[in-house]
Amino acid sequence: MTGGASGVPTIYPTILYDDAKAAIRTLTQGLGFTEEAVYEGEDGSVLHAELSLGNGRVMLGSRGREGLFARAMAGAGPAGVYVVVDEVDEHCARAREFGVEILMEPTDQDYGSRDYMARDGEGNVGSFGTYAPGSG
């Protein structure tokens, strides 16, 4: 398993905001988080941001964008979770065998990760992949 003993977290809350730029200001200026990365779209929306506090990190972005994660989160709570796993395909297979709803099959991403997305019985959305923010 990635993380854990190495000190790199393996679970990351993923939060969508109506005004992600204001959320970043609140989290950094008001709550002491450190901005690690912010990627914006051509329209100025926050595609992806990473903020840290202590040895933890949160990933966030703008609500209302296109894509599978945005559609999955439309019917879910205000936050999802990203979990770092080494063996994505095996992890997905185990989840499927248990009856977990798979929203996205294991997919190689442009940024080098291999991810899949699932929804639990209560509607919570989780992404599982090899990308570990802050590990390199």
Side-chain angles (χ1 to χ4, degrees):
M1 173 69 63
T2 301
S6 70
V8 176
T10 57
I11 299 175
Y12 299 86
T14 53
I15 307 170
L16 296 179
Y17 288 95
D18 289 326
D19 187 344
K21 289 181 180 178
I24 291 168
R25 284 191 302 275
T26 298
L27 290 166
T28 56
Q29 296 172 19
L31 296 171
F33 282 73
T34 299
E35 183 180 299
E36 300 293 348
V38 176
Y39 304 98
E40 294 184 9
E42 291 180 15
D43 63 356
S45 65
V46 177
L47 300 175
H48 177 82
E50 297 173 15
L51 307 178
S52 65
L53 182 65
N55 69 346
R57 239 176 233 240
V58 63
M59 298 189 293
L60 64 95
S62 295
R63 185 181 304 284
R65 296 187 3 251
E66 298 295 319
L68 180 59
F69 185 70
R71 288 191 304 275
M73 290 298 291
V81 66
Y82 181 84
V83 181
V84 178
V85 297
D86 289 329
E87 304 297 335
V88 173
D89 294 87
E90 290 85 349
H91 197 274
C92 181
R94 182 176 65 216
R96 180 181 284 106
E97 288 173 18
F98 191 75
V100 174
E101 179 185 5
I102 306 301
L103 301 174
M104 180 184 78
E105 293 295 326
T107 304
D108 292 327
Q109 303 297 334
D110 293 341
Y111 49 89
S113 184
R114 183 161 179 80
D115 302 334
Y116 81 95
M117 191 181 313
R119 182 184 348 251
D120 71 15
E122 294 283 329
N124 298 300
V125 175
S127 297
F128 301 84
T130 57
Y131 174 67
S135 67

